[in-house]
Amino acid sequence: DAKTTQPNSMESNEEEPVHLPCNHSTISGTDYIHWYRQLPSQGPEYVIHGLTSNVNNRMASLAIAEDRKSSTLILHRATLRDAAVYYCILRRRGGGNKLTFGTGTQLKVEL
Amino acid sequence: DVKVTQSSRYLVKRTGEKVFLECVQDMDHENMFWYRQDPGLGLRLIYFSYDVKMKEKGDIPEGYSVSREKKERFSLILESASTNQTSMYLCASRPGPTEQSEAFFGQGTRLTVV
């Protein structure tokens, strides 16, 4: 799977929107962009995924750049419960079953 | 709800012991994974299995082996535990080969080797 690059950490205030960036400059046309997050003392959980179009679900929105070399996970109103490590990973169509994570972005949310 | 259950939340073992970490999933998923997580290194894939008795090495398989005799159970084995295997171990499962399916994780086992 192609490599992704994320900032090590970000900070936000509660009730404000958060934009978590991910660069994937070597992405191929068949790579899906997935986001997971890991709350303290828990295993990671799925957040959202997309291919080309922006995606929304109850947890977050995913904005994908037109050239697909970057994407942004948007939390519309951060809460203290959103403090977690956020992982951006790529999954290639027909790319096998391997699932590889990086180091992610540690999001801190303050009152 | 999909459930991935790891047999122990905390485990303390002695150097040289053979250690078994067990993981069970209840959703008939084909794929199962073992990761370890260390500060500053993120999640690193140790082994994964895409079917019963089938396994593939991940990025850091040295010092580990796995067993998948039944579809719902995936075991991670430390043949001779060493202190550098002290870590958080996470198991995950995912259905099918599709690139769109989400993975489900267990709560993790914090292993300390003394």
Side-chain angles (χ1 to χ4, degrees), chain A residues 11 13-14 20-21 30 36 53 59 61 71 78 81 91 111:
Chain A
E11 291 186 11
N13 294 319
E14 203 177 18
L20 296 161
T30 56
Y36 285 76
S53 304
M59 289 180 74
S61 296
S71 60
R81 287 198 68 249
R91 293 284 299 133
L111 289 169

Side-chain angles (χ1 to χ4, degrees), chain B residues 5-8 20-24 34 73-76 109:
Chain B
T5 304
Q6 294 184 228
S7 53
S8 304
F20 291 85
L21 302 184
E22 306 287 345
C23 176
V24 176
W34 274 108
R73 186 180 297 270
F74 192 34
S75 303
L76 180 69
T109 296

Side-chain angles (χ1 to χ4, degrees), chain A residues 30-45:
Chain A
T30 56
D31 284 340
Y32 283 80
I33 302 159
H34 288 244
W35 283 82
Y36 285 76
R37 73 177 185 179
Q38 185 174 18
L39 301 170
S41 303
Q42 294 189 27
E45 62 178 355

Side-chain angles (χ1 to χ4, degrees), chain A residues 14-28:
Chain A
E14 203 177 18
E15 303 290 314
E16 290 185 359
V18 181
H19 291 232
L20 296 161
C22 181
N23 287 317
H24 26 78
S25 56
T26 59
I27 192 170
S28 81

Side-chain angles (χ1 to χ4, degrees), chain A residues 39-89:
Chain A
L39 301 170
S41 303
Q42 294 189 27
E45 62 178 355
Y46 167 83
V47 177
I48 200 167
H49 78 276
L51 183 62
T52 55
S53 304
N54 295 344
V55 184
N56 300 298
N57 66 20
R58 62 174 180 81
M59 289 180 74
S61 296
L62 175 60
I64 301 172
E66 199 169 332
D67 64 5
R68 300 206 333 120
K69 292 185 186 299
S70 66
S71 60
T72 303
L73 182 72
I74 302 165
L75 307 179
H76 295 285
R77 289 179 67 201
T79 69
L80 295 177
R81 287 198 68 249
D82 291 320
V85 178
Y86 287 79
Y87 298 96
C88 166
I89 64 174

Side-chain angles (χ1 to χ4, degrees), chain A residues 30-32 34 36 38 40-47 49 85 87 91-104, chain B residues 9 31 33 35 37 40-45 48 50 57-59 90 94 96-108:
Chain A
T30 56
D31 284 340
Y32 283 80
H34 288 244
Y36 285 76
Q38 185 174 18
S41 303
Q42 294 189 27
E45 62 178 355
Y46 167 83
V47 177
H49 78 276
V85 178
Y87 298 96
R91 293 284 299 133
R92 179 159 296 170
R93 184 180 296 163
N97 300 296
K98 192 173 178 180
L99 189 62
T100 304
F101 288 73
T103 54
Chain B
R9 196 91 158 102
N31 303 293
F33 306 82
Y35 298 85
Q37 185 169 33
L41 297 177
L43 274 79
R44 293 182 291 166
L45 181 64
F48 66 102
Y50 52 91
K57 292 180 181 179
D59 300 315
L90 288 156
R94 188 172 64 82
T98 173
E99 61 285 337
Q100 296 198 59
S101 61
E102 64 180 275
F104 297 85
F105 282 80
Q107 292 286 82

